[in-house]
Amino acid sequence: TATDPNGKVLSYKAVWARGNSTGYGSASTLNHAYGSTGIHTIIFFVKNSDGLEVSTTTSVNVAIASN
């Protein structure tokens, strides 16, 4: 979760590595469906209404769900 100490409006963006898509949203929750298993890198960006932007990178291990 991201907050701005000055109460500025925040926008959110996530870039899913492998170039298969980019997600945008005005909420801190973004969804993505992967087309393949394995370890995928995600870069999250948060920008305030003054244009200041920060980012962080993380990896997820995608597996097939068992029933």
Side-chain angles (χ1 to χ4, degrees):
T1 301
T3 59
D4 185 285
N6 299 316
K8 303 291 182 180
V9 175
L10 299 176
S11 64
Y12 304 88
K13 176 176 78 171
V15 176
W16 290 272
R18 295 198 183 184
N20 56 3
S21 75
T22 300
Y24 297 91
S26 59
S28 59
T29 302
L30 300 170
N31 297 307
H32 179 70
Y34 287 93
S36 62
T37 60
I39 296 174
H40 299 268
T41 301
I42 309 165
I43 307 168
F44 296 100
F45 297 88
V46 178
K47 184 187 291 187
N48 72 10
S49 55
D50 288 335
L52 300 173
E53 183 174 78
V54 296
S55 65
T56 188
T57 302
T58 192
S59 295
V60 295
N61 188 0
V62 177
I64 297 173
S66 60
N67 294 335

